[in-house]
Amino acid sequence: MIVSKPKTQTLTALTIFLVLIFASFFLLLNSLLKEESFFIAKLILAPIVLVIGLLVLGKLLGAIKVVKVGDNKIDVFYPISRLRTSIKIGEVLGWHEEVVKTKNGEFREVKVLYSKKKILKLSNRENTEYEAIVKYLKKKVKIKK
């Protein structure tokens, strides 16, 4: 059984970014309430910083998933929402791997389309055991889109 989890580097970087964003929001809010200088600029920047922080937090929490592949099925577990999805290999309608060359190497992403018309996305920069999952898909799933 192949188990793919989020990489700790990705989670750490996003967590540090979120701490900095929310700290800057609270400092901006504190400065807005104490000092009257640049009041309009602070009044505009505070909601923008808050919205950016909340969007990144939502993306982070929604993207955390543990994928187990093996025994002719794909199990996906979302720890935040406690949602479990089990996909049989026969239910997979197709899959596609995209490769983008970047300055730091290659970014690879595999998209698996299954019977509920939903897409499971995994990438080599965000998930562990990416190569093993792609090999498993090449071996077990003959349809590729």
Side-chain angles (χ1 to χ4, degrees), residues 21 35 39 60 74 76 80 107-108 112 133:
I21 284 287
E35 300 174 11
F39 183 78
L60 174 67
I74 302 170
V76 184
I80 302 299
F107 177 78
R108 295 173 166 255
V112 179
I133 289 179

Side-chain angles (χ1 to χ4, degrees), residues 8-18:
T8 55
Q9 292 173 330
T10 304
L11 294 177
T12 304
L14 285 173
T15 303
I16 291 170
F17 177 76
L18 284 172

Side-chain angles (χ1 to χ4, degrees), residues 52-144:
I52 290 171
L54 291 176
L55 287 174
V56 172
L57 179 64
K59 170 72 173 141
L60 174 67
L61 294 179
I64 296 175
K65 61 184 163 278
V66 177
V67 180
K68 294 180 182 178
V69 178
D71 299 330
N72 289 327
K73 65 180 179 176
I74 302 170
D75 292 324
V76 184
F77 175 62
Y78 296 93
I80 302 299
S81 63
R82 301 281 185 210
L83 178 67
R84 291 185 187 272
T85 305
S86 184
I87 308 162
K88 295 178 184 174
I89 293 297
E91 294 176 357
V92 174
L93 299 174
W95 65 279
H96 177 70
E97 183 180 22
E98 295 178 2
V99 179
V100 178
K101 295 190 188 244
T102 62
K103 187 171 93 174
N104 297 333
E106 285 186 341
F107 177 78
R108 295 173 166 255
E109 182 179 57
V110 66
K111 296 178 183 178
V112 179
L113 177 68
Y114 54 97
S115 64
K116 297 177 184 175
K117 300 293 183 192
K118 293 189 177 181
I119 297 174
L120 172 65
K121 294 180 184 179
L122 297 170
S123 69
N124 65 336
R125 299 276 172 103
E126 297 175 359
N127 300 91
T128 60
E129 301 296 328
Y130 174 81
E131 295 296 328
I133 289 179
V134 171
K135 283 182 185 178
Y136 185 83
L137 288 173
K138 286 179 182 177
K139 180 180 172 186
K140 293 290 185 174
V141 181
K142 303 299 180 197
I143 303 169
K144 185 176 179 182

